[in-house]
Amino acid sequence: MGVLFAIWFENWPVYRMGPPWRVGIAGTIINVIVAVVLYCIGMTYVVAFYGTSAWQVYVGVSIFGTLSGSCFSFGVLWVAGTMYWPFFDKKQPGRGIRVFIVGWIVTLVAWFLLFFPTGNSLSLNLTAYGFNLGWTQWTIFFSLLTLMTFEYWPWDKLGKQPKIGIAAFIVCTILGFIFVYLGGYIALAFVPIAQALGFTGDIGTGVGYMNVALADWLIVAVIAVSLFFDNWPKGYSQTKNFLIRFITVIVLGMIFFWGYYFISPLLGGTGNPFNDSPTAFLLVLLWIELLFAYIWRKWPVYTSL
């Protein structure tokens, strides 16, 4: 969330500090402060709502943290899809403040619709919680794929904002919902592979874990293609460019997905697709990726290219 706030404010006010490394250091410090503040607010809620025992805090953080954080994706999708409409002509920090308010309104609406029915301590429904978490992750994937990798295609065919943003928001949300189910079938197809590699566990639980993990690793792949490979290639027709990028995203996503389970034991995980959730590791990885790309502006790597 902290990185996204920096994106919405376009690194204001630290962008005036000169060299990218200075902006990066200052932006990182601000980012960490924002993260700590949000963490304290979240933990206060978790303790008050779930309880103070170690297990209650663990459940609260796992459910409240992941699902509530994922709900933020709907706010991000709206803001990114509409390209800051109707505030793109405003200067910073005015634009950032307005976008911040709109993003949080959308986030809170999604939070009350998705979190309260399934994630609160009074009506804890782990199946519905897992479904909603998967829904948000697949929604993030399709929003980033179309807005970043495909450069707003096909939404740009609608001409102007806010029609572009509305279409992206609605269709990506629907695609996310559909792929919670389709992703389950894909994950089910992974079960024999996992078993052939010697992993065992409850198939239903494993499919749920792998479904969400697949969406998450595809998100990482989209960010890699769009931000670190600068949406290569660009020299062919639009159709061929998009097709190559899409195939690259899928291939990288599969490599990341299976590769994680081999290195997971080194990171404190089990390495077993049936019970290993990469969410905690992925959150840190995504934070570093976005921090490096947006706050540090890929310094010092870009200077050597």
Side-chain angles (χ1 to χ4, degrees), residues 45 48-51 115-116 118-124:
Y45 180 89
F49 203 58
Y50 286 89
F115 175 77
F116 253 83
T118 61
N120 70 80
S121 60
L122 300 178
S123 59
L124 188 57

Side-chain angles (χ1 to χ4, degrees), residues 1 4-5 7-8 69-85 99-100 102-108 110 114 135-149 152-155 161-177 219 222:
M1 289 186 185
L4 292 169
F5 293 157
I7 295 173
W8 289 351
S70 296
C71 288
F72 195 64
S73 62
F74 291 97
V76 175
L77 171 55
W78 174 261
V79 171
T82 58
M83 292 186 283
Y84 302 143
W85 178 89
V99 170
F100 175 89
V102 171
W104 268 103
I105 289 174
V106 176
T107 298
L108 290 174
L114 296 181
W135 182 10
T136 59
Q137 302 312 298
W138 281 109
T139 298
I140 294 172
F141 167 67
F142 282 107
S143 62
L144 294 181
L145 180 70
T146 56
L147 298 179
M148 294 176 63
T149 307
Y152 281 81
W153 181 88
W155 323 124
Q161 298 291 0
K163 291 188 291 184
I164 293 174
I166 293 173
F169 185 90
I170 293 175
V171 177
C172 288
T173 300
I174 293 174
L175 285 173
F177 183 86
I219 291 170
V222 166

